[in-house]
Amino acid sequence: MKTRLAAMAGLLAMAGMPLAAQAQDSRFTSDSAGQKVLTVDGKPFLILGIQLNNSSGFAETFHALAPAIRRSHANTVMVPLGWESIEPEEGRFDFSTIDGLIAEARAQKIRVALLWFGSWKNAKMSYAPAWVKRDTQRFPRVEDADHHPIDALSPIAEASRNADAKAFAALMAHIKAVDGKQRTIIMVQVENEAGTLGADRDHSAAAEALFNAPVPADMPGAKAGSWQDNYAEKAPEAFMAYHTARYIGAVAAAGRKAYDLPMYANVWPREQPGLLRPGDSSPSGGAVSWLLPQWKALAPAIDVVGVDNYDTNVAPYTQIAKAYDIPGNPLFVPETGGSIAHARHAFWTVAQPRSLGISKFGIDEGFGMSKGQEAVEPIALDYHLLRDAAPFLLPLRDTGHAQSAVEEDGLANVPLAFDNIEAVARFGEVRDGYGGPRGQGNADLSGRVIVAQAEANRFLIVGASANLLFAPKLGTTGHVELVSVEEGHFMDGRWVRDRLLNGDETAFGLVLPPSGKSLMVTTQVVR
């Protein structure tokens, strides 16, 4: 029987020509359902990222972090670059910083997603050049309700937008000149967690006039009337989103005109614990979920809006993620944490059909070390298991033949259903009891697994701290035999068997230890 992987050669060659004929590049293509798919070197690419700390976007720091990056098993490093670093004086560009970053990435043989910290970083203007910060007349600040300026550039200011766009375009043109063929940089984040903290909207005189005027005709879904008429108590946030999206859209468009790389924006989600107060609990003006369609329409040069998702509880994490997994905007989590909870959520995230991937925020030289010895970080274990498996896994995942199971507090047995067979992922010690053998849960809630059906009776199992058991479909007779259980790894997208498991290693379920394991399992149902 042909594997589903072989049957989906069209997905692997979705750019419309043989892979061997494609130039090295990175781009978004569309699948048969119209969803965007990130391709790198002509193949679908799963981002397993590690983001350098905010002030680490320099070659020397990048170099010092090389051992830690290697221990992370990431395939992409998210590298920040501040506007102040490339244009210290207006009109005088210094590209030595970006040149050093590209050279270091090549030395480490790793891809880069460049993070442009221009007008916004965490809803602040902190990475803007000094000449922008000092000229408050030409580059006006947002004013709060008491008309006090705050440390955020107003999104209605044309001079600020044009200056940012000019700098970004110059940067992109330079990157094209030095990296257009090698494509070390595969994508660019335009700004960072845009919006305003410290005010629900800009209350300057110029902004007041725009807020009280009719909503512009290009605001999707708006009717005739004012912002208040259209959005009531949400009017300040909608107003700021309109102007912020147009601003960032203009910056992105200028950059893409210089060099057409994939571009995304990240968002600090509105869904925060406690009271929802845009400008207080989250930035006002970002691409929050209720304004995501409008935001994307106003900034068409942005391919994808990714959601920074640090929640450690499964229900709010998945709720936030699903709000950004919509047609034309596949799920992407460009920032998350590094705890075991985030590692579980990472497995869930990458298992979602067409997910672009995930990236952990922050890394220092001690990452993956404990008491002078190498120690496996939870997210690094995920990346180790998934990085080489991705070429095999993605076509199965994107056609609905892969599922994930992650442990939760109080949920240690998760059922999985496939075409002709069922399975259960059991976490922790398995004990007999009413209802049969069940997992009792891991003390650290570390269980996570992805199961992908490669053929009718052949399954890839990848995960840690779990025990898998197969059974016939409900309502059918017989039992499931394990024809073969291979422990192995992937090399260049090809499964490599390390050893065959049997006897005690399979008699009590398929065990994935805390250190992680990849199995290729062949089953048969005996009637």
Side-chain angles (χ1 to χ4, degrees):
M1 180 186 294
K2 292 183 178 179
T3 67
R4 287 199 173 91
L5 181 63
M8 288 179 284
L11 180 61
L12 290 172
M14 62 182 61
M17 53 182 168
L19 296 183
Q22 295 177 8
Q24 288 194 350
D25 66 2
S26 58
R27 66 185 64 208
F28 277 103
T29 61
S30 295
D31 64 11
S32 59
Q35 188 63 294
K36 292 182 177 179
V37 178
L38 178 65
T39 63
V40 175
D41 299 341
K43 301 175 183 179
F45 188 78
L46 179 67
I47 296 170
L48 301 171
I50 202 83
Q51 184 174 149
L52 304 189
N53 290 317
N54 293 165
S55 299
S56 299
F58 299 93
E60 294 81 1
T61 307
F62 196 177
H63 178 75
L65 290 168
I69 292 169
R70 175 187 56 79
R71 291 191 295 268
S72 78
H73 297 284
N75 62 13
T76 308
V77 178
M78 327 297 272
V79 180
L81 182 68
W83 182 3
E84 62 185 353
S85 294
I86 70 157
E87 195 179 9
E89 298 175 14
E90 185 171 11
R92 182 177 72 82
F93 293 101
D94 178 356
F95 296 118
S96 58
T97 299
I98 185 63
D99 290 344
L101 291 170
I102 291 172
E104 181 58 34
R106 290 176 181 172
Q108 294 188 33
K109 296 182 173 58
I110 197 161
R111 302 280 193 165
V112 165
L114 188 68
L115 315 181
W116 173 241
F117 291 177
S119 296
W120 285 278
K121 166 65 178 82
N122 286 35
K124 305 290 185 180
M125 57 176 287
S126 51
Y127 285 80
W131 55 269
V132 171
K133 294 174 180 174
R134 290 183 179 129
D135 193 344
T136 58
Q137 295 301 310
R138 184 178 167 202
F139 306 112
R141 312 287 182 86
V142 170
E143 294 183 12
D144 64 18
D146 295 323
H147 301 291
H148 296 139
I150 62 176
D151 55 347
L153 293 174
S154 174
I156 72 170
E158 184 175 339
S160 302
R161 181 195 67 204
N162 291 346
D164 192 335
K166 180 181 177 182
F168 185 58
L171 171 65
M172 294 301 292
H174 180 79
I175 293 172
K176 181 178 182 180
V178 300
D179 194 49
K181 291 184 179 179
Q182 195 156 340
R183 292 265 180 154
T184 309
I185 297 175
I186 58 171
M187 62 193 307
V188 180
Q189 177 184 292
V190 187
E191 313 296 350
N192 178 272
E193 294 183 343
T196 298
L197 285 174
D200 59 349
R201 66 173 176 87
D202 188 353
H203 291 267
S204 67
E208 286 288 347
L210 291 172
F211 183 73
N212 292 320
V215 174
D218 61 340
M219 177 63 172
K223 301 176 182 179
S226 69
W227 290 95
Q228 201 72 41
D229 293 336
N230 274 272
Y231 302 103
E233 74 280 358
K234 293 183 178 180
E237 188 175 28
F239 172 79
M240 292 297 279
Y242 171 83
H243 289 286
T244 303
R246 283 172 54 85
Y247 187 120
I248 293 177
V251 173
R256 293 199 85 142
K257 186 177 180 180
Y259 183 24
D260 189 15
L261 273 184
M263 293 189 182
Y264 72 97
N266 68 331
V267 61
W268 176 334
R270 190 176 196 267
E271 295 83 359
Q272 299 293 320
L275 296 172
L276 299 180
R277 294 291 186 270
D280 183 12
S281 59
S282 62
S284 183
V288 293
S289 56
W290 78 276
L291 288 164
L292 180 58
Q294 293 90 333
W295 213 97
K296 284 180 62 64
L298 293 164
I302 296 294
D303 294 294
V304 170
V305 173
V307 59
D308 295 348
N309 200 345
Y310 288 89
D311 212 298
T312 57
N313 295 311
V314 65
Y317 181 93
T318 54
Q319 179 185 10
I320 290 169
K322 288 175 181 178
Y324 286 82
D325 190 1
I326 64 174
N329 196 78
L331 176 60
F332 180 37
V333 180
E335 288 186 27
T336 195
S339 72
I340 189 62
H342 296 114
R344 295 196 308 270
H345 295 159
F347 249 64
W348 178 89
T349 299
V350 301
Q352 302 311 298
R354 300 172 185 83
S355 165
L356 300 184
I358 195 165
S359 178
K360 177 198 176 298
F361 173 78
I363 186 170
D364 57 29
E365 293 182 40
F367 182 86
M369 298 293 292
S370 177
K371 299 179 180 179
Q373 301 292 322
E374 290 198 15
V376 178
E377 299 278 351
I379 200 76
L381 176 59
D382 286 8
Y383 292 177
H384 175 67
L385 292 169
L386 295 169
R387 177 172 174 166
D388 293 334
F392 185 93
L393 176 63
L394 294 188
L396 300 172
R397 179 200 72 175
D398 293 346
T399 52
H401 295 102
Q403 296 183 47
S404 66
V406 295
E407 186 174 5
E408 302 172 33
D409 188 14
L411 182 61
N413 299 271
V414 180
L416 303 168
F418 295 92
D419 292 344
N420 58 347
I421 202 169
E422 295 179 349
V424 60
R426 303 174 296 186
F427 303 116
E429 181 186 359
V430 176
R431 297 180 190 167
D432 271 326
Y434 290 111
R438 293 182 179 177
Q440 303 302 302
N442 294 296
D444 59 356
L445 301 177
S446 59
R448 56 210 190 269
V449 63
I450 292 175
V451 181
Q453 187 174 25
E455 300 176 15
N457 296 303
R458 190 167 172 81
F459 297 84
L460 169 66
I461 302 173
V462 180
S465 301
N467 181 306
L468 272 290
L469 181 70
F470 285 100
K473 295 284 282 188
L474 182 64
T476 63
T477 59
H479 66 279
V480 173
E481 283 186 347
L482 301 177
V483 177
S484 68
V485 178
E486 303 175 23
E487 180 183 325
H489 64 281
F490 284 90
M491 182 177 295
D492 299 325
R494 180 178 60 86
W495 173 253
V496 178
R497 186 181 75 192
D498 295 328
R499 63 171 178 157
L500 287 168
L501 301 183
N502 216 317
D504 291 345
E505 284 73 34
T506 62
F508 305 99
L510 300 170
V511 178
L512 304 176
S515 58
K517 187 176 287 187
S518 296
L519 303 175
M520 192 69 75
V521 180
T522 301
T523 65
Q524 68 178 11
V525 178
V526 179
R527 308 292 184 191

